[in-house]
Amino acid sequence: MISRVLPYVATRFQSKGVLDVASLGFRIAGFQAGAVALSNIARKSYAGSVNNPALKAIQIETLAFCNYKCSFCPTNQIEMPKGRMTDRLFESLIDQLREFEGEIRLYLRNEPLLDKRIFDFAKTADEQTKGKVVIQTNGSLLTYEAAQKLAPHAKIVVNDYTDGEVGSRIEEFAKEFDIVIANRGSDKGLSNRAGNLPSAKPKKLDAFCNRPFNQLYIAYNGQAALCCQDWTLEEIMGDASVSTLEEIWTGSTIVNKRKELLERKRTGLCAKCDYPGV
C-alpha cells in the first residue's frame, strides 16, 4: 500500500504543490477546518492576480462519458451534458497552447480511455506544445498495449476504485511505464461535488478557492466550466469554440468570480460546494 501511496503523493505535490497535499491530508483525516485555514493562507498569494493569473493547468474533455458509476461521483447518477469533442476544436486548443508549459490534462468528467482518439491526442499535445500531458483513468480499459502507446507522451495516473482489483492487474506493466496507481477505494469521497452528488447535501463555506486562479476546464463542446465540479456545466466562463483561451481566461465572467472568491464570497455553484479551496 505504501509503495503506491508515495508515488501518488509525489505526483500530486509536483502537480499542485504542498498546500494541496496538506489540504488533502486534512480532508482524509476529517479535519475540514484545517483545510479551510490552508485555503485562507493561499488566498493571500493570489490577491494581486485577479485579471490574468498564471495558468498552471488546463483540462480538456474529449469525450463526455464514463463506464463507471461510483457512489461518490455524479457521473451516471445525474443528468449531464454528454458528447464528443470535434477534432477541429481539439486541434484549435492545442494550437493555442503551443507555448504553454503547464499541465495539459486530457480528462475532466469522463473516462478518457473510452475515446479511441486519446492516443493520437496525447501524442499531438506532447509534440506540439511545451506542456506536460497527464491522463487520469480508472484503469479498467488500460492494457499493456494502451500503456505502451500512451506512456511516451503522457503521465498516466490510475485511480483504482475497485479496492485493488485494477491495481493488481496492471501492477506488473505499471512499473515499466512509470504509471502511478492510487488506491481510491470503491466508496470514498472527500467532497459533495459542489452539491451535484445526490447523496450529499449542498454546503456553503465562507472560504477562498484557487481553482479559477490557476486552472481552466474545457468541456467536450468547448464550454469553459467554472471548475472540475461543474458536472452539469452550470456556470460557463466562456466558449472555446467561439473565443480564444486567452479571452476566456481574462474575460469579465471569470475575473468577477475570482474577485468574489478573494472576498470569500461563494455564489452560484460555489455556494453549494464544501471543497475547502485548496
Side-chain angles (χ1 to χ4, degrees):
M1 180 68 74
I2 292 178
S3 63
R4 292 183 182 177
V5 171
L6 293 180
Y8 174 72
V9 171
T11 299
R12 187 159 183 138
F13 172 78
Q14 293 173 358
S15 174
K16 299 183 177 181
V18 64
L19 287 181
D20 175 87
V21 173
S23 176
L24 177 64
F26 280 138
R27 285 183 283 143
I28 291 174
F31 186 36
Q32 180 82 334
V36 172
L38 290 177
S39 174
N40 288 326
I41 291 174
R43 168 176 166 264
K44 298 177 182 178
S45 64
Y46 290 99
S49 57
V50 172
N51 294 320
N52 190 17
L55 179 63
K56 296 181 179 179
I58 181 170
Q59 290 188 224
I60 302 174
E61 178 183 67
T62 66
L63 188 72
F65 293 93
C66 184
N67 58 340
Y68 273 22
K69 184 178 179 179
C70 299
S71 63
F72 53 85
C73 178
T75 300
N76 294 326
Q77 292 197 61
I78 64 173
E79 289 294 323
M80 292 168 42
K82 295 180 179 180
R84 182 177 186 265
M85 180 174 284
T86 65
D87 292 357
R88 182 177 181 179
L89 177 55
F90 182 81
E91 291 165 2
S92 172
L93 295 174
I94 296 305
D95 187 58
Q96 295 175 68
L97 294 169
R98 287 185 179 275
E99 299 302 316
F100 180 62
E101 298 181 354
E103 288 193 354
I104 301 174
R105 303 169 184 166
L106 299 183
Y107 58 91
L108 184 52
R109 309 167 300 156
N110 64 321
E111 168 47 49
L113 296 189
L114 286 172
D115 191 340
K116 295 180 180 179
R117 305 170 298 170
I118 200 67
F119 307 102
D120 290 333
F121 283 168
K123 184 174 185 291
T124 297
D126 178 42
E127 294 180 349
Q128 296 186 16
T129 76
K130 297 179 181 179
K132 176 183 179 181
V133 182
V134 180
I135 289 180
Q136 289 203 20
T137 168
N138 61 36
S140 61
L141 302 176
L142 187 63
T143 62
Y144 181 89
E145 291 73 20
Q148 192 174 39
K149 290 180 181 178
L150 277 178
H153 304 292
K155 179 66 178 179
I156 304 171
V157 178
V158 174
N159 293 309
D160 184 0
Y161 302 112
T162 63
D163 293 320
E165 182 180 334
V166 166
S168 297
R169 177 178 63 80
I170 70 172
E171 191 164 27
E172 186 173 343
F173 66 80
K175 297 177 183 178
E176 179 178 346
F177 298 113
D178 194 28
I179 296 171
V180 173
I181 303 173
N183 291 299
R184 296 288 192 150
S186 59
D187 61 353
K188 296 179 180 177
L190 294 176
S191 80
N192 68 355
R193 308 295 184 180
N196 285 302
L197 194 61
S199 61
K201 296 180 180 179
K203 181 180 179 181
K204 183 178 180 180
L205 294 179
D206 294 321
F208 169 77
C209 183
N210 69 357
R211 281 179 172 164
F213 286 82
N214 53 38
Q215 298 179 61
L216 196 54
Y217 308 85
I218 307 298
Y220 72 94
N221 57 5
Q223 290 185 314
L226 170 59
C227 78
C228 57
Q229 302 303 337
D230 194 353
W231 301 87
T232 62
L233 304 182
E234 176 181 338
E235 280 200 63
I236 302 304
M237 303 294 103
D239 189 337
S241 66
V242 295
S243 302
T244 66
L245 294 176
E246 184 178 2
E247 287 170 344
I248 296 170
W249 188 243
T250 60
S252 60
T253 303
I254 196 168
V255 167
N256 289 336
K257 177 60 69 171
R258 293 181 190 129
K259 289 178 179 177
E260 289 180 350
L261 290 171
L262 274 177
E263 296 175 0
R264 289 179 285 196
K265 294 179 181 178
R266 293 196 175 192
T267 63
L269 184 69
C270 301
K272 299 176 284 187
C273 185
D274 67 353
Y275 177 67
V278 68

